[in-house]
Amino acid sequence: MTDETQGVHRSFVTVEVAGETFGIAIERVREVFTPDRLTHVPLAPHEIAGVLNLRGRIVTAVDMRSRLGLPRRDEADKPMAIGIDHRQEAFALLVDRVGDVLDLPADGQEAPPTSLDPRWIHVAEGVYRLDSRLLLILNVERALDTQSALAAAA
Amino acid sequence: MDDLLRDFLTETAENLDHVDNELVRFEQEPANDKILGNIFRLVHTVKGTCGFLGLERLEAIAHAAETLMGEFRSGALATPEAVTLILAAIDRIKEILADIEKTGAEQPGDDADLIVLLEKAAIEAKAPKAAPAIDPALGRELRPGEVSLDELERAFRDTPGPEMTVAAEAPKKSKKKEAVAAVAPVAAVAAPKAPAKIEMEAANDAGAPAERAASSESAIAGQTIRVGVDTLDRLMTMVSELVLTRNQLLDTVKRIGDKDFNLPLQRLNHVTAELQEGVMKTRMQPIGAAWRMLPRIVRDLAADLGKKIELVQEGADTELDRQVLDLIKDPLTHMVRNCADHGLETPAERASLGKPELGTIKLSAYHQGGCIVVEITDDGRGLDLERIKSKALANGLATEAEIEKMSEAQIMRFIFAPGFSTAAAVTSVSGRGVGMDVVRSNIELIGGSVDLRSTFGKGSTVIIRIPLTLAIVSALMVSLGADIFAIPQLVVLELVRARPGGDQRIERIGDAPLLRLRDRLLPLVYLRQLLDLPRADKEKEDDAFVVVLQSGDDVFGLVVDDVLHTEEIVVKPMASSLKEISLFAGTTILGDGSVVLILDPNGVAQAVGPSAAVDAARAKSAETVSADEVGSVVPLLLFRAGGQAPKAAPLALVTRLEMIDASTIEIADGRPLVQYRGSLMPLIAAAPDVYLKESGDQPLLVFADDGRTVGLIVDEILDIVEQRIDIGVASIVPGVLGTAVIAGRATEILDVGHHLTLAFDDWLKRKDRPAEATAMPTVLLVDDSAFFRNMLTPVLKAAGYRVVAASGGGEALEIVRKGGRYDVIVSDIEMPGMNGFEFAQALTEEPTVGGTPILALSSLSGDTVVEQARDAGFVEYIAKFDRPGLIAALQHFAPGYRSAA
């Protein structure tokens, strides 16, 4: 749906985390899957929900709820996973729900409001003002960089 | 990054590694034109390609280096300085390449420093030769670094190399003579001779490219392609996945019993197995790839250390799995460094020993019974057994008695113990905190083993055996609740089922859990606690499985909820964000598809703590104490404290043996103190001629009593022996009870009481103030042995009692009859003259003593004795070395100072 008057578009996969909607650049998303048999890793940073086997690859699952300091998911609610390759390793971002793919004009992205929680600003690449709501675009690198999160927390 | 650039990076990285090695060779054989030709060609290729790709910095450096090498070719002497300079240039080129790899473009930077040096060296090297000749092909003078076409072609002709055939053709065909320098390398890039086997293109690791095929294999060139390592890895995982699916399918069919599936399944089975084997084969790499950087390392080390070292390689084409190769690369490098640094002597030393000045380090690899054996041999000084022995003793790794029984090979193996280094000085070369223990654990992790042969003065050989195939490790699966963990089977010594009240049960000394296992007490650690998981129920804690692990020389028990089974697992590395957790070595995928974490035995041992061994020693003693005692056999701790004669102290009195870092000792008020478990502990010398160490580990005997501790400074802890003490010669020296023959040697028995009093001096004085003295209960201690009287008196005093001692029943009775009033009487049973029973009997008839509790303290045991004692009027029967038991009983019958306060 290229509109010549609007120039370049970018596609984002929308995900829901504790009622908030975030966008992830579609080119970073390798796949969307239902995480199965997550192995808990003792002593790991709290946002690392565990590791799992995705067709023979070991995937490190990062729970976006704890990454963003949001309340824990109910035991009964099964998360969805966004598979992402980052520095030659496989990661999965655990989210509550995966929504539509949105095509948005590349120049419509704005800087995230400074009033946001610092943890959010850290992982936010920008923000889109949609008709009904704000869409925060996740910076995948920072979202996965749990070490810097630890350092920031310390 | 475009493909051309990527190809260039891979090619260049390989070429540069060759240059490194060739330069080292060249330095050794400066007259070898062939080697020089090789180097020249390689650098030239780099330079040309850089120019073509517009990489200006690289081109400038390569050009300057080439100029200098041109001088060598013209006959200038290749001085070590010049070679070092060229190596520096190569290093700079590598740095720039790494940047390009990261960013996709050459980063701005200034290399003028290096270039100036290179040019200067080139000018210096230039012999006063004929004036520059006009090159016939160019029609002008050659600029520095440029080479005439004739020379270049000669170089190519004379140089048999992998690219020789193709690359040498190119410039000949090219008629554009003025652009020769650029064309030749471009041709080499455009038509690279494909190596004779699938090369692993380490796209993300240009520093570790695959071994280039030997030129003799060029006949099959063209039948091979380069495949990225990640492609192969992915293929491998998919094959593993296929194997898993096949297994599931086989399971299902077996359950259903449908015969129609049998044939196709058999075929599937067959094809899968072949596929697996085929993919495994593609991952094989010659071990030479892991050795590639060693000549350069050895050369630099030799230069740094002022040694002459030759590195000999044998069997570099022996193939093994890429993953295994990656894992042994660092251990190999470390061991070669060790050889160069500690193993080989300086040329002067070697000359004086009648050895050739040139030391040799030999690397060889070969197949043996399904394993790859890698040997690293040096002809240096070999291992000094005596030094290893004393170091092992000082580190508390073994006792003198144990060492005496050990074979030489066993003693040598101490160098694999954590933190063990016999090097007198830690040098910048080997003293990197990576010890042989790390080498060993890395190799053991992939199912290999390390062994050692050495002859003092002649040299040593380290023998590494590694499994040929993928790192498939047999692992024991254990569980904590629903969580499963894998423990490499190699480190598991045995499994023990511990039950409360059973033969094998978990016991506690203080709060430290221990397991009595045959002749030893094993320190235990709860895996739940290590992993910060919620603790199991109190009862369940003692009803558990103990996995006895050996890591280095530490043996300890890991307590888990359940032991499941063993399984062959493929070790996968830990995700980088989880690598910090030292307790895990990696992950693996089980047959059912679930991911399981592999415990790192080394990490676990470290988490258990270095004092485990010492704790074990103490545990051993504690066991002997609680064991039934016959006669007055006493476990004694032997140590050295001033002078050469060993000294001894009853082990029962020693709370812990500690090694503390000497630098943590503080001096306050002229007395040494150390922070110990959250409080300050005074330190007392065990003899007047014992001095604190200034650095390193200071061994201490720690005596603890009711929250107070004192550390006794000794030189060395030797052994624990069990022996009857017969003090032959009484001592007049304060602090020494006398001398006894122990383990065949005259040994001074330490008067622990004396030293305790020294430490608690102030405290005792304070206690002796009249106001409080009246409040202190008094104990009448009856024992015929001066040794025990002396030993117990200060202990009881420290516990808040006033002590009157008597040497026998008769004497005690006399004291009582004289009107002595005591809150409690403690008496030995076996005494000459009036024994304990008779004494107790007699006491009951004394009107003044009525109701005074009498405690029996004896080394005799058995129900009849206890009954007899009760009949005689004793209210409590306590084993002679059960000091806490005695204090507890005293507190019960006559609350002492501390509980009264």
Side-chain angles (χ1 to χ4, degrees):
Chain A
M1 53 164 267
T2 329
D3 189 332
E4 277 167 25
T5 58
Q6 282 190 316
V8 194
H9 277 70
R10 290 182 68 194
S11 299
F12 297 97
V13 177
T14 59
V15 298
E16 207 177 288
V17 182
E20 306 283 343
T21 312
F22 297 90
I24 302 171
I26 200 159
E27 62 272 13
R28 294 306 312 270
V29 177
R30 195 183 147 99
E31 61 194 303
V32 175
F33 61 97
T34 315
D36 185 27
R37 282 204 280 211
L38 200 60
T39 301
H40 168 69
V41 181
L43 310 176
H46 73 282
E47 59 262 49
I48 294 188
V51 288
L52 56 92
N53 166 20
L54 185 63
R55 292 190 305 279
R57 285 185 94 192
I58 306 266
V59 180
T60 308
V62 176
D63 192 334
M64 285 313 290
R65 278 189 180 239
S66 20
R67 187 72 183 84
L68 295 169
L70 292 167
R72 289 170 65 105
R73 195 176 294 110
D74 282 344
E75 285 290 322
D77 293 341
K78 293 286 168 238
M80 286 297 286
I82 305 278
I84 285 168
D85 279 357
H86 173 57
R87 294 191 192 144
Q88 276 106 40
E89 283 184 42
F91 286 89
L93 294 180
L94 300 191
V95 299
D96 297 353
R97 248 177 302 283
V98 179
D100 298 334
V101 174
L102 294 181
D103 265 350
L104 298 170
D107 54 8
Q109 187 170 319
E110 298 167 34
T114 48
S115 55
L116 279 183
D117 179 316
R119 272 177 295 197
W120 290 39
I121 293 193
H122 182 70
V123 299
E125 191 176 283
V127 67
Y128 276 100
R129 270 180 293 183
L130 303 184
D131 293 342
S132 55
R133 58 179 194 268
L134 284 178
L135 180 69
L136 203 66
I137 304 302
L138 278 184
N139 179 326
V140 171
E141 269 71 33
R142 295 222 199 112
L144 291 178
D145 199 353
T146 50
Q147 297 306 320
S148 76
L150 282 180
Chain B
M1 201 189 300
D2 65 25
D3 288 346
L4 194 61
L5 193 56
R6 200 189 306 278
D7 279 347
F8 162 72
L9 285 177
T10 314
E11 285 260 346
T12 310
E14 281 175 19
N15 284 342
L16 289 179
D17 276 344
H18 278 293
V19 171
D20 264 1
N21 289 350
E22 293 289 293
L23 268 173
V24 175
R25 267 177 70 198
F26 176 61
E27 200 177 16
Q28 290 155 0
E29 308 171 50
N32 191 332
D33 285 343
K34 214 168 91 181
I35 302 175
L36 186 58
N38 261 332
I39 304 168
F40 195 77
R41 181 176 51 81
L42 290 164
V43 174
H44 193 79
T45 306
V46 173
K47 182 184 113 176
T49 323
C50 294
F52 182 74
L53 292 172
L55 304 169
E56 287 165 10
R57 275 182 72 190
L58 283 177
E59 192 190 2
I61 299 169
H63 177 81
E66 197 191 353
T67 309
L68 180 53
M69 280 190 283
E71 295 303 331
F72 299 158
R73 274 166 63 89
S74 323
L77 192 67
T79 58
E81 293 75 32
V83 172
T84 305
L85 211 49
I86 292 174
L87 286 172
I90 304 283
D91 285 342
R92 182 74 62 91
I93 292 177
K94 283 182 183 163
E95 276 169 36
I96 300 172
L97 286 174
D99 278 347
I100 296 178
E101 197 182 301
K102 254 184 262 154
T103 60
E106 198 176 54
Q107 299 302 304
D110 186 17
D111 309 304
D113 52 333
L114 194 59
I115 292 172
V116 165
L117 285 174
L118 284 165
E119 280 171 356
K120 207 172 122 222
I123 292 165
E124 281 165 7
K126 196 186 287 265
K129 282 198 317 170
I134 305 289
D135 184 78
L138 290 172
R140 59 167 170 78
E141 271 183 30
L142 285 172
R143 284 199 288 267
E146 273 186 348
V147 190
S148 75
L149 183 62
D150 285 349
E151 261 185 76
L152 190 61
E153 287 198 20
R154 204 185 61 229
F156 282 131
R157 259 197 322 280
D158 297 348
T159 313
E163 290 92 349
M164 184 57 201
T165 39
V166 182
E169 292 303 292
K172 278 188 194 161
K173 283 180 195 147
S174 164
K175 297 295 166 212
K176 290 186 223 158
K177 293 182 178 174
E178 59 281 352
V180 160
V183 171
V186 171
V189 169
K193 186 196 70 73
K197 56 180 70 92
I198 299 178
E199 286 201 6
M200 313 280 175
E201 178 194 340
N204 56 339
D205 186 8
E211 176 77 317
R212 189 160 278 271
S215 55
S216 61
E217 288 169 295
S218 60
I220 48 165
Q223 295 179 11
T224 55
I225 48 164
R226 275 172 187 264
V227 181
V229 167
D230 43 352
T231 312
L232 287 179
D233 279 350
R234 218 168 300 139
L235 203 57
M236 185 70 208
T237 38
M238 292 326 284
V239 169
S240 312
E241 196 68 4
L242 181 65
V243 172
L244 291 182
T245 317
R246 177 203 59 186
N247 293 352
Q248 279 173 354
L249 209 56
L250 286 172
D251 267 4
T252 317
V253 172
K254 216 180 279 166
R255 227 179 22 250
I256 301 171
D258 193 333
K259 288 205 169 58
D260 288 352
F261 284 111
N262 277 357
L263 206 65
L265 252 185
Q266 243 172 38
R267 261 194 73 71
L268 176 69
N269 199 357
H270 204 74
V271 171
T272 312
E274 263 188 24
L275 190 59
Q276 194 179 3
E277 199 180 312
V279 174
M280 294 260 246
K281 229 180 234 168
T282 61
R283 296 165 49 97
M284 301 300 264
Q285 262 185 304
I287 195 166
W291 294 354
R292 183 90 52 91
M293 62 291 183
L294 292 177
R296 167 77 190 272
I297 289 172
V298 169
R299 186 247 172 218
D300 287 356
L301 275 180
D304 285 356
L305 300 166
K307 294 181 183 178
K308 291 184 180 170
I309 308 173
E310 182 189 22
L311 184 73
V312 180
Q313 304 187 9
E314 277 176 14
D317 53 353
T318 312
E319 288 190 327
L320 74 166
D321 190 272
R322 193 184 73 83
Q323 205 178 339
V324 179
L325 199 72
D326 275 355
L327 285 165
I328 62 160
K329 202 181 266 178
D330 287 347
L332 276 181
T333 310
H334 179 76
M335 279 185 285
V336 169
R337 277 176 183 284
N338 254 346
C339 288
D341 191 15
H342 303 317
L344 294 175
E345 310 90 336
T346 59
E349 280 175 67
R350 291 182 68 89
S352 69
L353 291 166
K355 290 181 173 183
E357 280 193 7
L358 182 69
T360 307
I361 298 174
K362 195 173 100 181
L363 278 168
S364 61
Y366 54 92
H367 287 268
Q368 193 186 59
C371 277
I372 299 267
V373 183
V374 185
E375 295 185 0
I376 300 123
T377 307
D378 69 67
D379 64 349
R381 47 176 77 98
L383 288 174
D384 186 342
L385 279 183
E386 291 311 312
R387 216 153 81 192
I388 296 177
K389 276 187 202 166
S390 56
K391 184 90 197 236
L393 273 176
N395 284 7
L397 294 169
T399 62
E400 206 157 58
E402 281 165 4
I403 285 179
E404 260 163 40
K405 283 182 222 138
M406 286 185 179
S407 68
E408 284 193 0
Q410 277 174 313
I411 292 167
M412 281 180 202
R413 253 174 244 141
F414 276 125
I415 69 161
F416 294 115
F420 200 95
S421 170
T422 53
V426 172
T427 66
S428 68
V429 178
S430 304
R432 283 158 199 273
V434 206
M436 292 297 275
D437 58 319
V438 178
V439 169
R440 178 165 88 167
S441 68
N442 278 358
I443 286 167
E444 285 181 351
L445 190 69
I446 55 171
S449 66
V450 187
D451 219 335
L452 201 67
R453 274 199 305 258
S454 178
T455 314
F456 188 52
K458 292 268 171 59
S460 38
T461 302
V462 179
I463 304 135
I464 304 172
R465 280 190 181 76
I466 355 174
L468 178 64
T469 56
L470 243 186
I472 292 178
V473 176
S474 178
L476 178 74
M477 301 294 158
V478 300
S479 71
L480 296 180
D483 294 337
I484 298 177
F485 298 92
I487 305 174
Q489 187 80 53
L490 261 161
V491 297
V492 177
L493 293 182
E494 63 182 302
L495 296 175
V496 178
R497 178 84 171 92
R499 276 202 186 86
D503 283 349
Q504 262 108 23
R505 58 183 191 274
I506 296 173
E507 296 171 74
R508 283 183 176 73
I509 291 185
D511 49 3
L514 297 159
L515 178 75
R516 214 182 271 211
L517 186 64
R518 290 183 292 276
D519 60 333
R520 66 191 298 176
L521 265 172
L522 206 63
L524 295 183
V525 56
Y526 283 89
L527 185 56
R528 277 181 179 277
Q529 232 163 304
L530 279 186
L531 298 180
D532 218 7
L533 293 171
R535 288 175 76 143
D537 301 339
K538 197 83 194 118
E539 311 90 70
K540 264 191 145 175
E541 256 185 15
D542 290 348
D543 184 9
F545 285 92
V546 177
V547 183
V548 182
L549 297 181
Q550 172 146 32
S551 167
D553 290 298
D554 286 343
V555 176
F556 58 93
L558 191 65
V559 188
V560 299
D561 290 2
D562 209 349
V563 171
L564 307 175
H565 57 271
T566 57
E567 194 166 328
E568 300 275 300
I569 57 166
V570 177
V571 180
K572 296 189 178 230
M574 210 63 191
S576 55
S577 45
L578 300 172
K579 278 207 173 111
E580 307 265 300
I581 311 172
S582 64
L583 290 178
F584 301 123
T587 51
T588 190
I589 300 175
L590 292 191
D592 67 353
S594 60
V595 179
V596 158
L597 298 161
I598 305 167
L599 288 175
D600 182 347
N602 241 5
V604 173
Q606 263 157 33
V608 171
S611 60
V614 177
D615 272 344
R618 155 149 170 75
K620 200 165 129 195
S621 72
E623 181 188 34
T624 35
V625 172
S626 57
D628 295 346
E629 280 159 20
V630 183
S632 48
V633 171
V634 177
L636 289 168
L637 178 77
L638 290 185
F639 54 89
R640 211 168 51 70
Q644 280 311 307
K647 293 185 169 59
L651 195 61
L653 296 179
V654 182
T655 312
R656 275 176 74 90
L657 308 181
E658 284 287 348
M659 282 287 178
I660 57 162
D661 187 346
S663 64
T664 61
I665 297 172
E666 298 160 48
I667 306 287
D669 208 5
R671 295 170 69 172
L673 293 167
V674 68
Q675 288 197 23
Y676 183 73
R677 303 196 163 190
S679 58
L680 279 175
M681 175 167 78
L683 302 182
I684 303 282
D689 48 348
V690 175
Y691 301 99
L692 279 170
K693 295 194 179 174
E694 274 166 24
S695 62
D697 287 338
Q698 171 67 56
L700 290 180
L701 316 186
V702 177
F703 300 89
D705 189 81
D706 246 354
R708 278 182 309 274
T709 53
V710 57
L712 207 58
I713 304 160
V714 300
D715 291 330
E716 191 182 1
I717 292 163
L718 299 175
D719 202 356
I720 291 165
V721 294
E722 274 180 64
Q723 174 151 358
R724 193 184 188 91
I725 323 172
D726 295 309
I727 296 185
V729 185
S731 170
I732 48 158
V733 180
V736 178
L737 285 179
T739 307
V741 176
I742 292 170
R745 294 189 67 175
T747 306
E748 283 182 355
I749 312 284
L750 205 71
D751 178 3
V752 175
H754 171 81
H755 294 93
L756 288 177
T757 329
L758 278 183
F760 293 150
D761 191 25
D762 301 340
W763 182 81
L764 281 176
K765 270 184 197 150
R766 198 159 54 84
K767 292 291 111 15
D768 287 341
R769 279 188 300 200
E772 283 184 26
T774 51
M776 272 166 75
T778 313
V779 175
L780 176 61
L781 176 65
V782 191
D783 199 312
D784 60 315
S785 152
F787 175 75
F788 286 111
R789 285 200 308 272
N790 289 336
M791 189 176 81
L792 275 177
T793 306
V795 172
L796 296 180
K797 274 185 185 166
Y801 295 90
R802 226 208 281 239
V803 182
V804 174
S807 63
E811 188 189 332
L813 214 53
E814 225 163 280
I815 294 173
V816 173
R817 282 188 184 138
K818 276 184 190 154
R821 288 186 169 271
Y822 300 95
D823 298 282
V824 64
I825 298 168
V826 176
S827 173
D828 189 11
I829 300 285
E830 277 206 307
M831 290 183 287
M834 182 184 276
N835 72 19
F837 298 135
E838 293 160 357
F839 169 58
Q841 203 73 49
L843 271 185
T844 52
E845 285 152 25
E846 288 298 320
T848 53
V849 189
T852 306
I854 315 173
L855 311 183
L857 189 66
S858 172
S859 51
L860 292 175
S861 66
D863 289 348
T864 47
V865 182
V866 176
E867 216 164 281
Q868 222 181 324
R870 208 156 279 151
D871 289 347
F874 284 104
V875 292
E876 193 82 33
Y877 189 92
I878 299 152
K880 202 145 197 173
F881 290 95
D882 186 4
R883 199 166 47 93
L886 174 63
I887 303 288
L890 284 175
Q891 296 283 10
H892 178 73
F893 291 107
Y897 158 75
R898 291 190 69 81
S899 48

